[in-house]
Amino acid sequence: MATSEKMQAMMKETGLDKFLQETVLGLIEKQPVVSPDSLEAIAVPVPVTTPEEDAARIASLKQRIQLMKKDVPPPADAPPPEEGAEPEYILPVDVEGDIGDVLGDFKLLERAGVGFGKPANIRMYLALKMLMHKNMGALEGEKIVRVRSWGKVLGLEKDYMIAEVVMEGRQAMPPLPEGEQPPSIVPRDPVSDSFADFLTSANHFVYYVCNVPGEEWTRLPDVQPDHIKAAGLIKRAFSGNLSANVGSKAPFPGKESEYLRAQIARITHDTRIAPRGHLIDVTDYEGGGDLAVGQSEEGTFHGLTPQEMCDLRNKAWVHSAHDLLPQGRASYHNYGWVQPDDKPEVKDPRLEKNRPVLQSVHLDPAPYLGAPAWSAHVCGGLAPEYACAVVRSNLWPGACTVGQGYTFVNYYVGNGCQTTGTMFAPAMAWAVSPDVDHPEYARGPKANGICGDLNLEPPPSR
């Protein structure tokens, strides 16, 4: 009897009796299928935290809650709303414009293992709606009519969340220089104010960035040919500050905002793809008409299965954008180049041509990778109704396209740098060649040598 009382007192002191009660009650309520091997996992004690750890966790939760809150307090100069009307600073349910199925795209990306969690997806969706509703960064006469999430670029201090925007009445930013420019200056690609399924200009869309969804969006400038050419010569991580200098061996003519915009253009034109049959080329090549590529007629594209989407050799995916030429543009600008007389070996830049329209991604070159430029696999093959195809770029790690049936989405999550194929390794030093003219390399009279190329004397005889 005394032993039983001692055990009960010990269980109360250590809290073992309460733990056993909670465990048994949990098993009764949930009634799991318990195997003997899982009994140890069920009996794992709840970790004990200190008051300092609890306070730090609560402070972190409060900070996250502040980021998720809406900016509901009205501005000081906001006029009072009319009776029965909502204030202007509250985000309406329906926003004028095309925002697409953002949450559906994120759900499709999560099946491929690319995602940020449901809370982050909701915050990004609300941030895109706020961007369209407030028409942020728009000049006079401009109106945001379409927006989508382009991706996320990881930085050392902060990350960049990027939105791709279509603007009506769009103007060049910064404004184009007035007057006639010298022929040697290559102008930037033209801007556009409408959506296109096939990109023929590096400035077709407008891009906005923010560090955290919910913060103010910042509009990036139009990309310049010099920025694209300079970005291809360097490999540098982003800091997360748009006004930071770009320190590199090859000088970059701009700040980090211009460098980010140039990398966005390079990634977009190299990794934007579409399934075979979704787009069709209707250009009148015989009549010399302009390039015309658009969606196929309704009823002609029946979608592809995940297995068919992963068959890259069978032209399952094609490029939906022109590649960027060495000139720094998506289309060549003829500025009256003349072959120099003293350099006959210089190639004519007018021979620069884009890859064929709707070329298969299987034909993309990757000479320094030792592997194909693209890889594909099926996710969720055990459940065919939820299976999807994932196509990833090996040249731009982080660029992926997820497709299922008729639906597909291009997305990017990475550090914004192109792979070089191999890790950095310092060059091996060459062997030192002996010079007979220097006395330190002269062989001594008694040095017959115990090694063919060393000036060593033989061991003394005993």
Side-chain angles (χ1 to χ4, degrees), residues 68-89:
M68 296 175 64
K69 282 185 176 180
K70 291 183 180 179
D71 188 15
V72 294
D77 55 348
E82 299 180 0
E83 185 177 356
E86 291 186 352
E88 294 183 358
Y89 54 85

Side-chain angles (χ1 to χ4, degrees), residues 20 26 55 69 74 86 91 109 112 129 140 146 149 168 188 222 228 252 254 257 315 321 374 394 401 409 429 445:
L20 292 176
K69 282 185 176 180
E86 291 186 352
L91 182 64
L109 289 168
K129 286 185 66 175
E140 185 179 357
R146 186 186 178 101
S149 178
E168 281 186 355
R188 63 184 115 163
D222 298 337
I228 293 178
F252 184 83
S257 58
K315 298 182 179 180
W374 295 84
N394 297 325
T401 301
V409 55

Side-chain angles (χ1 to χ4, degrees), residues 187-269:
R188 63 184 115 163
D189 272 333
V191 300
S192 177
D193 58 355
S194 60
F195 177 77
D197 296 293
F198 189 88
L199 300 185
T200 58
S201 171
N203 288 318
H204 194 94
F205 296 116
V206 182
Y207 293 92
Y208 285 78
V209 298
C210 68
N211 296 120
V212 178
E215 293 183 353
E216 194 76 12
W217 289 93
T218 303
R219 180 177 176 177
L220 295 179
D222 298 337
V223 66
Q224 307 283 346
D226 293 341
H227 296 159
I228 293 178
K229 291 190 293 184
L233 301 176
I234 63 177
K235 184 177 181 181
R236 184 181 185 276
F238 291 92
S239 65
N241 181 13
L242 291 176
S243 60
N245 295 322
V246 182
S248 58
K249 183 177 181 181
F252 184 83
K255 300 290 185 179
E256 186 165 293
S257 58
E258 286 83 7
Y259 177 52
L260 176 62
R261 181 62 183 87
Q263 292 297 86
I264 290 175
R266 297 179 65 205
I267 295 171
T268 300
H269 284 261

